[in-house]
Amino acid sequence: MPAQLFEERIEGEEKIEPRDWMPEEYRRTLIRQISQHAHSEIVGMLPEGNWVTRAPSLKRKAILLAKIQDEAGHGLYLYAACETLGVSREDLLSELHSGKAKYSSIFNYPALSWADMGAIGWLVDGAAIMNQIPLCRTSYGPYARAMVRICKEESFHQRQGYEIMLTLSRGTEVQKQMAQDALNRWWWPSLMMFGPGDADSVHSLQNLRWKIKRFSNDELRQRFVDMTVPQAELLGLNIPDPLLRWNPDRNHYDFGPIDWDEFWNVVRGNGPCNRERLHDRVNAHEEGAWVRDAAIAHAIKQRNRQAPVAS
Amino acid sequence: MSMGNEQLEYALHLADNALILGQRLGEWCGHGPVLEQDIAMTNIALDYIGRARLLYQYAAGMCAPESTEDQLAFMRNEWEYRNVLLAEQPNGDFAQTVARQFYIEAFQIDYLKALQQSGDATFSAIAEKSIKETAYHFKWASEWVIRLGDGTDVSHRKMQDALETLWPYTGELFREAPYESWMRKNLNGPDLAALYTAWSARLQPVFTLAGLELPAGQWMQEGGKTGRHTEHMGYLLAEMQFMQRAYPGLEW
Amino acid sequence: MKDWPLYEVFIRSRSGLNHKHVGSLHAADPQMAIEHARDVYTRRMEGVSIWVVESSRLHASDPTENDAFFEPSQDKIYRHPTFYDLPDEVKHM
């Protein structure tokens, strides 16, 4: 009976809220997806965080700080959405820190030059936005609301990245090289961000049916390529794919095969920065433990000091 | 930078303080003890970077016509930076960052109020804007001093250590550099020595609530205001100036 | 040691409007929760006033009782102004 009602509500585009009945598998899927998304935001702060202290101008330093700060905020909104499903942030973080939980593999690639700040904003945030906009209509209320907020804030992220690329591509030869090199390194990992092809995606179908996801991985990936190729042309940069060409029959760009071995290898922990990223997160958390403990100890002492008066 | 222009040097002193503090706080970005505090510290960093920009823009206007905020921020030599030594001290652990901000924000509240009364309209306007930011920063820092001082044995010890470590750098806040006396005499700039009492009065209640001891050391370090910095400054600048030094004169 | 408790955050976006639930966050005490809310939820001038309440202190209706709770009001359409047919000549009512 509740199961049927649940399916009807999903069918009728009605949102599911935290205290509503939901199938256990729906809850588990949401926890997995939302927490992965939250972890990605938090780990995603690290490659860019590398360049805060080296940003080439005061304006860029401020923009970069504000952008990374947004990512912290987005992680926070998403952890909070996840907590409505009955798991604590502390539990979710333990899963991240133990290596059990996944996050977007893209952040296991290194940010080597200033142009990477441009490429990350343009491509990585661009791909993320493709994924995220449909999620504003996802069936779980708190997740959808978090995504609305995130998409609204995220709108400057991609633009600032593209603006960096634009400045570089109109600059000196060295700046152009920097931009091209960043595009070369970030292009394929960005395409991988949409996840395995529909034929190989384990979770896709059920997630679409429950309206947790709204479009398939391959649909979104194609949309991303179609949108990005003309943007690269405008920059005068070459997308590192010899098979990339416009297909008038499909009305889409065809593109070369994705190296899924590389993808799975990075997912399994063998990307260039997997260890560093996880180490940074674990370290920040462990070194912050005494601070968090102190704050709660002080709060308890305060309450006890006030208690006799209040009662 | 042309020396002998006290007003310019004064602007750079204020700008450098803001930039170096912003740079240090920015180092926390992504590494804070808890997500919410990561966001809080970045907010403070952004206030400082914003303040630095206003001041460098003002300073650039006093220099040669082609001077820019970024040239002043990134292309000077270490001995030309006029920030106080306290600003450049490393973040250390969270307690040390809190201690640095606590000392400096407590000072700035009354300092900025005095600067607002100065005869320089730009300094006065920037001070007016900064007072609001500083009130919040001071609240943030003092609440953490209290939390850490009162919290656990570990946090109490770390907070006391941090306050002791940075104490010798507080004296410089009240030692007048030549451009500061010029500012005081000619443009009604803040009288540093007169601010000491107000500063102590801001520290005292926080120390009491935190159950911490006010450091007693008398010997004070100084030099930053006139360009003699600690060893930390070279590394900070090497990192901060890297892009502008490696690729001078480009748009980013 | 215990984790920082969860707080629900309500923001008044400008004076004259209700506080609206915007999300949640963790803090060790209520004062910290207000400051976190300021830093997290009003970075883009979204608010002029903040309320926080510890999530565990919030009491909510039970969704399994929704029928009993909310349906009885559905057939009382006479509570709505559009229920009443008045001639067009009656203005301003």
Side-chain angles (χ1 to χ4, degrees), chain A residues 240-254:
Chain A
D241 178 359
L243 297 177
L244 183 85
R245 62 180 53 84
W246 177 253
N247 181 336
D249 299 334
R250 293 202 309 129
N251 233 357
H252 288 296
Y253 282 94
D254 290 337

Side-chain angles (χ1 to χ4, degrees), chain A residues 298 302 305, chain B residues 145-147 149-150 204-212:
Chain A
H298 168 68
Q302 272 300 82
R305 280 191 282 255
Chain B
V145 171
I146 295 167
R147 276 191 201 106
D150 182 54
Q204 198 54 64
V206 177
F207 274 89
T208 308
L209 283 170
L212 293 161

Side-chain angles (χ1 to χ4, degrees), chain A residues 32-33 35-40 43 95-96 99-105 264 266-269 274:
Chain A
R32 192 187 61 241
Q33 184 173 328
S35 65
Q36 268 183 21
H37 192 164
H39 299 328
S40 303
V43 177
E95 296 210 327
L96 172 68
K100 196 174 151 226
K102 299 293 174 209
Y103 55 85
S104 182
S105 272
W264 288 114
V266 179
V267 169
R268 283 191 202 101
N274 292 56

Side-chain angles (χ1 to χ4, degrees), chain A residues 53 60-61 89 281 298 301, chain B residues 23 30 36 150 239 252:
Chain A
T53 53
R60 291 289 177 206
K61 195 189 284 291
R89 191 197 290 179
R281 284 316 314 159
H298 168 68
K301 283 184 187 176
Chain B
Q23 175 79 1
E36 283 84 350
D150 182 54
E239 201 172 342
W252 300 99

Side-chain angles (χ1 to χ4, degrees), chain A residues 42 53-54 56-58 60-62 68-69 89 114 167 172 175 178 281 290 292 294 298 301 305, chain B residues 19 23 29-30 33 35-36 39 43 46 70 147 150-151 155 158 239-240 243-244 247 250-252:
Chain A
I42 302 311
T53 53
R54 289 179 292 171
S57 72
L58 294 174
R60 291 289 177 206
K61 195 189 284 291
I68 303 174
Q69 185 191 41
R89 191 197 290 179
W114 172 252
T167 311
T172 62
Q175 285 176 306
M178 226 184 249
R281 284 316 314 159
W290 69 269
R292 298 190 300 274
H298 168 68
K301 283 184 187 176
R305 280 191 282 255
Chain B
L19 174 60
Q23 175 79 1
C29 188
L35 208 40
E36 283 84 350
I39 296 173
N43 261 351
L46 281 168
D70 288 326
R147 276 191 201 106
D150 182 54
S155 70
K158 285 178 188 276
E239 201 172 342
M240 188 177 78
M243 288 295 290
Q244 290 278 349
Y247 314 99
L250 305 186
E251 288 284 317
W252 300 99

Side-chain angles (χ1 to χ4, degrees), chain B residues 89-143:
Chain B
Q89 294 312 300
N91 286 337
D93 62 8
F94 185 71
Q96 191 164 323
T97 298
V98 165
R100 185 186 62 213
Q101 297 309 123
F102 174 62
Y103 285 143
I104 218 155
E105 308 291 0
F107 167 75
Q108 287 193 25
I109 292 181
D110 301 288
Y111 177 83
L112 290 168
K113 280 183 192 158
L115 185 62
Q116 202 191 340
Q117 305 304 318
S118 81
D120 181 306
T122 308
F123 286 145
S124 172
I126 295 172
E128 188 184 354
K129 180 177 180 292
S130 309
I131 285 169
K132 294 167 198 153
E133 297 167 354
T134 302
Y136 192 80
H137 302 169
F138 180 64
K139 187 174 158 67
W140 176 84
S142 8
E143 284 172 1

Side-chain angles (χ1 to χ4, degrees), chain B:
Chain B
M1 188 179 80
S2 65
M3 288 298 173
N5 183 341
E6 286 86 355
Q7 199 175 0
L8 169 62
E9 221 177 332
Y10 189 84
L12 289 173
H13 160 64
L14 295 180
D16 293 344
N17 274 345
L19 174 60
I20 302 302
L21 283 168
Q23 175 79 1
R24 281 293 188 218
L25 286 164
E27 291 171 15
W28 272 106
C29 188
H31 306 276
V34 65
L35 208 40
E36 283 84 350
Q37 282 303 315
D38 216 299
I39 296 173
M41 284 192 279
T42 305
N43 261 351
I44 302 178
L46 281 168
D47 284 343
Y48 275 116
I49 303 292
R51 193 182 306 177
R53 290 192 68 189
L54 293 174
L55 289 158
Y56 284 125
Q57 284 161 11
Y58 185 42
M62 295 182 220
C63 299
E66 68 276 16
S67 179
T68 65
E69 57 174 88
D70 288 326
Q71 260 175 23
L72 291 174
F74 296 104
M75 296 296 274
R76 281 177 300 144
N77 296 302
E78 180 176 325
W79 58 86
E80 292 169 318
Y81 282 81
R82 292 287 176 264
N83 58 285
V84 293
L85 299 178
L86 183 56
E88 73 205 41
Q89 294 312 300
N91 286 337
D93 62 8
F94 185 71
Q96 191 164 323
T97 298
V98 165
R100 185 186 62 213
Q101 297 309 123
F102 174 62
Y103 285 143
I104 218 155
E105 308 291 0
F107 167 75
Q108 287 193 25
I109 292 181
D110 301 288
Y111 177 83
L112 290 168
K113 280 183 192 158
L115 185 62
Q116 202 191 340
Q117 305 304 318
S118 81
D120 181 306
T122 308
F123 286 145
S124 172
I126 295 172
E128 188 184 354
K129 180 177 180 292
S130 309
I131 285 169
K132 294 167 198 153
E133 297 167 354
T134 302
Y136 192 80
H137 302 169
F138 180 64
K139 187 174 158 67
W140 176 84
S142 8
E143 284 172 1
W144 272 111
V145 171
I146 295 167
R147 276 191 201 106
L148 298 179
D150 182 54
T152 62
D153 291 346
V154 175
S155 70
H156 180 86
R157 198 189 67 240
K158 285 178 188 276
M159 194 66 241
Q160 185 71 50
D161 284 354
L163 290 162
E164 301 280 353
T165 303
L166 295 181
W167 180 252
Y169 299 100
T170 57
E172 192 186 15
L173 296 170
F174 305 96
R175 288 294 294 272
E176 210 172 57
Y179 50 87
E180 287 175 303
S181 5
W182 181 89
M183 200 38 211
R184 176 171 54 78
K185 287 172 196 155
N186 294 283
L187 284 166
N188 190 31
D191 179 356
L192 298 184
L195 294 173
Y196 188 82
T197 320
W199 180 71
S200 299
R202 291 195 185 279
L203 301 195
Q204 198 54 64
V206 177
F207 274 89
T208 308
L209 283 170
L212 293 161
E213 300 282 332
L214 197 66
Q218 295 292 313
W219 177 254
M220 292 290 162
Q221 304 292 342
E222 59 179 314
K225 283 182 176 181
T226 49
R228 262 186 298 112
H229 293 277
T230 56
E231 287 184 345
H232 306 295
M233 187 67 172
Y235 293 98
L236 183 150
L237 290 182
E239 201 172 342
M240 188 177 78
Q241 295 185 335
F242 161 65
M243 288 295 290
Q244 290 278 349
R245 292 287 189 191
Y247 314 99
L250 305 186
E251 288 284 317
W252 300 99

Side-chain angles (χ1 to χ4, degrees), chain A residues 22 47 54 63 79 147 157 170 186 237 251 256 266 274 280:
Chain A
M22 61 186 82
R54 289 179 292 171
I63 294 171
Y79 282 127
M147 290 315 304
H157 294 186
R170 288 174 180 171
W186 290 96
L237 298 176
N251 233 357
V266 179
N274 292 56
D280 274 11

